[in-house]
Amino acid sequence: MNNRQILEIAMRQSACDSSCSAEDFLRFGNKVVISKASPMARKYLELPFLCDLTSYGNNIVASVSAELEEIVRSYISKYPVEHCFETPNLHAFMDVLRPFGCSVCFMAEYFLPDVDIISRQKCEFTTRILFKEDFSGLYLPEWSNALCDKRRQNDILAVGAFDGRRLIGLAGCSADCDSMWQIGVDVLPEYRRRGIAAALTTQLAVECLSREIVPFYCSAWSNLKSVRTAIKSGFRPGWVQLTVKSDEFISEMNRTHS
């Protein structure tokens, strides 16, 4: 696969997620569609959306519920694309969402591999490819970015770094949809800043690409450690996404993370 094909695959997947066509992300005007459930969507998404804004840079595709259609259309028509994803304009958006019992919840940047530069990186520790039977006992807090306990069935492949027999770093990928696998990585605190995360992420990305699967990487824009890992591993920004959730959902998340 080349970079153009990878981008096209990502846009086709986003179209399944957003109930639109892949071409909609290439328009120079914004697009608003009514969100629907889809068996082809990424497995962890809860569809239909209340409101989800996705941009590959040209425009915004808003996948929304019928009750929010007009206020979302008004919002994304009022400001430049990039400003719709940041304050102070988001404060205005949340003000009009408040009577509907919902607010902005998730804001993420997604990265795609640049096949012109991505390659296996050296690691000072031994690395090994791991399959389901190898990591079935690794659903522990220290590996919560690499593996997802709630969606074990989707975790399909991993790469571990070992200091002797001790696992010190782990990158895992989940088969979130048929054509794209999401990569997450963890390194034990005392082994960080030694290039282990990037080495594991790169090796796992190469394994995905060798299987004709597009690896992707997600990070909050403020998580600089994660963003640096993505860039160092040969990934580049692909798209951004903002998702609205109910106030009850947000309150529960805050209780869980407090």
PDB file of all heavy atoms in Angstrom, residues 96-115:
ATOM      1  N   VAL A  96     -25.065  25.955  23.466  1.00  0.00           N
ATOM      2  CA  VAL A  96     -26.299  25.588  22.749  1.00  0.00           C
ATOM      3  C   VAL A  96     -26.613  24.101  22.910  1.00  0.00           C
ATOM      4  O   VAL A  96     -27.765  23.681  22.719  1.00  0.00           O
ATOM      5  CB  VAL A  96     -26.213  25.964  21.253  1.00  0.00           C
ATOM      6  CG1 VAL A  96     -26.083  27.456  21.090  1.00  0.00           C
ATOM      7  CG2 VAL A  96     -25.079  25.250  20.547  1.00  0.00           C
ATOM      8  N   LEU A  97     -25.630  23.295  23.288  1.00  0.00           N
ATOM      9  CA  LEU A  97     -25.886  21.875  23.542  1.00  0.00           C
ATOM     10  C   LEU A  97     -26.535  21.639  24.908  1.00  0.00           C
ATOM     11  O   LEU A  97     -27.262  20.660  25.100  1.00  0.00           O
ATOM     12  CB  LEU A  97     -24.579  21.078  23.475  1.00  0.00           C
ATOM     13  CG  LEU A  97     -23.939  20.870  22.103  1.00  0.00           C
ATOM     14  CD1 LEU A  97     -22.568  20.215  22.271  1.00  0.00           C
ATOM     15  CD2 LEU A  97     -24.818  20.018  21.196  1.00  0.00           C
ATOM     16  N   ARG A  98     -26.292  22.544  25.842  1.00  0.00           N
ATOM     17  CA  ARG A  98     -26.702  22.339  27.227  1.00  0.00           C
ATOM     18  C   ARG A  98     -28.201  22.037  27.384  1.00  0.00           C
ATOM     19  O   ARG A  98     -28.565  21.123  28.146  1.00  0.00           O
ATOM     20  CB  ARG A  98     -26.299  23.564  28.075  1.00  0.00           C
ATOM     21  CG  ARG A  98     -26.449  23.336  29.568  1.00  0.00           C
ATOM     22  CD  ARG A  98     -25.798  24.460  30.364  1.00  0.00           C
ATOM     23  NE  ARG A  98     -24.345  24.458  30.181  1.00  0.00           N
ATOM     24  CZ  ARG A  98     -23.665  25.428  29.592  1.00  0.00           C
ATOM     25  NH1 ARG A  98     -24.291  26.497  29.122  1.00  0.00           N
ATOM     26  NH2 ARG A  98     -22.353  25.358  29.472  1.00  0.00           N
ATOM     27  N   PRO A  99     -29.113  22.725  26.697  1.00  0.00           N
ATOM     28  CA  PRO A  99     -30.539  22.405  26.859  1.00  0.00           C
ATOM     29  C   PRO A  99     -30.907  20.998  26.383  1.00  0.00           C
ATOM     30  O   PRO A  99     -31.964  20.481  26.754  1.00  0.00           O
ATOM     31  CB  PRO A  99     -31.237  23.470  25.993  1.00  0.00           C
ATOM     32  CG  PRO A  99     -30.264  24.590  25.906  1.00  0.00           C
ATOM     33  CD  PRO A  99     -28.920  23.938  25.870  1.00  0.00           C
ATOM     34  N   PHE A 100     -30.045  20.390  25.586  1.00  0.00           N
ATOM     35  CA  PHE A 100     -30.309  19.037  25.090  1.00  0.00           C
ATOM     36  C   PHE A 100     -29.692  17.962  25.989  1.00  0.00           C
ATOM     37  O   PHE A 100     -29.768  16.770  25.679  1.00  0.00           O
ATOM     38  CB  PHE A 100     -29.766  18.882  23.664  1.00  0.00           C
ATOM     39  CG  PHE A 100     -30.455  19.755  22.662  1.00  0.00           C
ATOM     40  CD1 PHE A 100     -29.993  21.038  22.411  1.00  0.00           C
ATOM     41  CD2 PHE A 100     -31.575  19.299  21.975  1.00  0.00           C
ATOM     42  CE1 PHE A 100     -30.623  21.853  21.485  1.00  0.00           C
ATOM     43  CE2 PHE A 100     -32.214  20.107  21.043  1.00  0.00           C
ATOM     44  CZ  PHE A 100     -31.747  21.390  20.801  1.00  0.00           C
ATOM     45  N   GLY A 101     -29.094  18.368  27.097  1.00  0.00           N
ATOM     46  CA  GLY A 101     -28.542  17.411  28.051  1.00  0.00           C
ATOM     47  C   GLY A 101     -27.301  16.701  27.562  1.00  0.00           C
ATOM     48  O   GLY A 101     -27.081  15.529  27.890  1.00  0.00           O
ATOM     49  N   CYS A 102     -26.469  17.407  26.806  1.00  0.00           N
ATOM     50  CA  CYS A 102     -25.250  16.785  26.291  1.00  0.00           C
ATOM     51  C   CYS A 102     -24.163  17.834  26.153  1.00  0.00           C
ATOM     52  O   CYS A 102     -24.423  19.038  26.248  1.00  0.00           O
ATOM     53  CB  CYS A 102     -25.510  16.095  24.955  1.00  0.00           C
ATOM     54  SG  CYS A 102     -26.206  17.158  23.668  1.00  0.00           S
ATOM     55  N   SER A 103     -22.926  17.373  25.909  1.00  0.00           N
ATOM     56  CA  SER A 103     -21.814  18.298  25.775  1.00  0.00           C
ATOM     57  C   SER A 103     -20.662  17.611  25.045  1.00  0.00           C
ATOM     58  O   SER A 103     -20.705  16.403  24.790  1.00  0.00           O
ATOM     59  CB  SER A 103     -21.349  18.786  27.149  1.00  0.00           C
ATOM     60  OG  SER A 103     -20.446  19.875  27.009  1.00  0.00           O
ATOM     61  N   VAL A 104     -19.645  18.378  24.719  1.00  0.00           N
ATOM     62  CA  VAL A 104     -18.451  17.817  24.080  1.00  0.00           C
ATOM     63  C   VAL A 104     -17.766  16.883  25.072  1.00  0.00           C
ATOM     64  O   VAL A 104     -17.546  17.232  26.231  1.00  0.00           O
ATOM     65  CB  VAL A 104     -17.494  18.938  23.649  1.00  0.00           C
ATOM     66  CG1 VAL A 104     -16.170  18.358  23.146  1.00  0.00           C
ATOM     67  CG2 VAL A 104     -18.151  19.808  22.586  1.00  0.00           C
ATOM     68  N   CYS A 105     -17.407  15.703  24.613  1.00  0.00           N
ATOM     69  CA  CYS A 105     -16.790  14.703  25.485  1.00  0.00           C
ATOM     70  C   CYS A 105     -15.402  14.310  24.994  1.00  0.00           C
ATOM     71  O   CYS A 105     -14.417  14.502  25.690  1.00  0.00           O
ATOM     72  CB  CYS A 105     -17.685  13.467  25.571  1.00  0.00           C
ATOM     73  SG  CYS A 105     -17.066  12.191  26.693  1.00  0.00           S
ATOM     74  N   PHE A 106     -15.299  13.754  23.792  1.00  0.00           N
ATOM     75  CA  PHE A 106     -14.023  13.255  23.278  1.00  0.00           C
ATOM     76  C   PHE A 106     -13.477  14.183  22.201  1.00  0.00           C
ATOM     77  O   PHE A 106     -14.223  14.636  21.327  1.00  0.00           O
ATOM     78  CB  PHE A 106     -14.178  11.845  22.692  1.00  0.00           C
ATOM     79  CG  PHE A 106     -14.640  10.822  23.676  1.00  0.00           C
ATOM     80  CD1 PHE A 106     -15.801  10.097  23.456  1.00  0.00           C
ATOM     81  CD2 PHE A 106     -13.924  10.580  24.837  1.00  0.00           C
ATOM     82  CE1 PHE A 106     -16.230   9.141  24.356  1.00  0.00           C
ATOM     83  CE2 PHE A 106     -14.347   9.630  25.754  1.00  0.00           C
ATOM     84  CZ  PHE A 106     -15.504   8.910  25.519  1.00  0.00           C
ATOM     85  N   MET A 107     -12.183  14.450  22.270  1.00  0.00           N
ATOM     86  CA  MET A 107     -11.486  15.214  21.231  1.00  0.00           C
ATOM     87  C   MET A 107     -10.177  14.479  20.968  1.00  0.00           C
ATOM     88  O   MET A 107      -9.355  14.334  21.874  1.00  0.00           O
ATOM     89  CB  MET A 107     -11.218  16.645  21.695  1.00  0.00           C
ATOM     90  CG  MET A 107     -12.477  17.441  21.990  1.00  0.00           C
ATOM     91  SD  MET A 107     -12.123  19.004  22.844  1.00  0.00           S
ATOM     92  CE  MET A 107     -11.146  19.845  21.605  1.00  0.00           C
ATOM     93  N   ALA A 108      -9.984  14.007  19.751  1.00  0.00           N
ATOM     94  CA  ALA A 108      -8.818  13.172  19.478  1.00  0.00           C
ATOM     95  C   ALA A 108      -8.233  13.461  18.109  1.00  0.00           C
ATOM     96  O   ALA A 108      -8.931  13.919  17.195  1.00  0.00           O
ATOM     97  CB  ALA A 108      -9.198  11.689  19.571  1.00  0.00           C
ATOM     98  N   GLU A 109      -6.939  13.193  18.006  1.00  0.00           N
ATOM     99  CA  GLU A 109      -6.233  13.273  16.735  1.00  0.00           C
ATOM    100  C   GLU A 109      -5.809  11.872  16.358  1.00  0.00           C
ATOM    101  O   GLU A 109      -5.313  11.108  17.199  1.00  0.00           O
ATOM    102  CB  GLU A 109      -5.010  14.180  16.863  1.00  0.00           C
ATOM    103  CG  GLU A 109      -4.268  14.408  15.564  1.00  0.00           C
ATOM    104  CD  GLU A 109      -3.175  15.463  15.690  1.00  0.00           C
ATOM    105  OE1 GLU A 109      -2.842  15.845  16.834  1.00  0.00           O
ATOM    106  OE2 GLU A 109      -2.664  15.907  14.649  1.00  0.00           O
ATOM    107  N   TYR A 110      -6.013  11.526  15.102  1.00  0.00           N
ATOM    108  CA  TYR A 110      -5.694  10.185  14.613  1.00  0.00           C
ATOM    109  C   TYR A 110      -4.527  10.246  13.630  1.00  0.00           C
ATOM    110  O   TYR A 110      -4.453  11.160  12.801  1.00  0.00           O
ATOM    111  CB  TYR A 110      -6.910   9.557  13.931  1.00  0.00           C
ATOM    112  CG  TYR A 110      -8.015   9.207  14.897  1.00  0.00           C
ATOM    113  CD1 TYR A 110      -8.923  10.166  15.323  1.00  0.00           C
ATOM    114  CD2 TYR A 110      -8.146   7.918  15.405  1.00  0.00           C
ATOM    115  CE1 TYR A 110      -9.935   9.854  16.224  1.00  0.00           C
ATOM    116  CE2 TYR A 110      -9.148   7.590  16.305  1.00  0.00           C
ATOM    117  CZ  TYR A 110     -10.042   8.562  16.713  1.00  0.00           C
ATOM    118  OH  TYR A 110     -11.030   8.250  17.601  1.00  0.00           O
ATOM    119  N   PHE A 111      -3.636   9.276  13.733  1.00  0.00           N
ATOM    120  CA  PHE A 111      -2.421   9.250  12.937  1.00  0.00           C
ATOM    121  C   PHE A 111      -2.401   8.018  12.037  1.00  0.00           C
ATOM    122  O   PHE A 111      -2.842   6.926  12.437  1.00  0.00           O
ATOM    123  CB  PHE A 111      -1.194   9.212  13.847  1.00  0.00           C
ATOM    124  CG  PHE A 111      -1.034  10.430  14.718  1.00  0.00           C
ATOM    125  CD1 PHE A 111      -1.778  10.578  15.892  1.00  0.00           C
ATOM    126  CD2 PHE A 111      -0.150  11.434  14.379  1.00  0.00           C
ATOM    127  CE1 PHE A 111      -1.634  11.694  16.698  1.00  0.00           C
ATOM    128  CE2 PHE A 111       0.001  12.565  15.175  1.00  0.00           C
ATOM    129  CZ  PHE A 111      -0.735  12.693  16.332  1.00  0.00           C
ATOM    130  N   LEU A 112      -1.862   8.208  10.831  1.00  0.00           N
ATOM    131  CA  LEU A 112      -1.709   7.133   9.858  1.00  0.00           C
ATOM    132  C   LEU A 112      -0.238   6.959   9.521  1.00  0.00           C
ATOM    133  O   LEU A 112       0.534   7.928   9.559  1.00  0.00           O
ATOM    134  CB  LEU A 112      -2.493   7.461   8.576  1.00  0.00           C
ATOM    135  CG  LEU A 112      -4.012   7.527   8.706  1.00  0.00           C
ATOM    136  CD1 LEU A 112      -4.638   8.104   7.440  1.00  0.00           C
ATOM    137  CD2 LEU A 112      -4.586   6.139   9.001  1.00  0.00           C
ATOM    138  N   PRO A 113       0.183   5.742   9.154  1.00  0.00           N
ATOM    139  CA  PRO A 113       1.601   5.525   8.856  1.00  0.00           C
ATOM    140  C   PRO A 113       2.008   6.162   7.532  1.00  0.00           C
ATOM    141  O   PRO A 113       1.249   6.173   6.569  1.00  0.00           O
ATOM    142  CB  PRO A 113       1.700   3.995   8.773  1.00  0.00           C
ATOM    143  CG  PRO A 113       0.331   3.560   8.344  1.00  0.00           C
ATOM    144  CD  PRO A 113      -0.618   4.515   9.019  1.00  0.00           C
ATOM    145  N   ASP A 114       3.209   6.714   7.515  1.00  0.00           N
ATOM    146  CA  ASP A 114       3.809   7.218   6.287  1.00  0.00           C
ATOM    147  C   ASP A 114       4.741   6.117   5.777  1.00  0.00           C
ATOM    148  O   ASP A 114       5.831   5.920   6.315  1.00  0.00           O
ATOM    149  CB  ASP A 114       4.586   8.498   6.574  1.00  0.00           C
ATOM    150  CG  ASP A 114       5.185   9.127   5.320  1.00  0.00           C
ATOM    151  OD1 ASP A 114       5.313   8.423   4.301  1.00  0.00           O
ATOM    152  OD2 ASP A 114       5.545  10.315   5.365  1.00  0.00           O
ATOM    153  N   VAL A 115       4.313   5.394   4.759  1.00  0.00           N
ATOM    154  CA  VAL A 115       5.078   4.234   4.307  1.00  0.00           C
ATOM    155  C   VAL A 115       6.396   4.622   3.648  1.00  0.00           C
ATOM    156  O   VAL A 115       7.259   3.763   3.427  1.00  0.00           O
ATOM    157  CB  VAL A 115       4.248   3.350   3.343  1.00  0.00           C
ATOM    158  CG1 VAL A 115       3.035   2.778   4.062  1.00  0.00           C
ATOM    159  CG2 VAL A 115       3.826   4.129   2.107  1.00  0.00           C
TER     160      VAL A 115
END
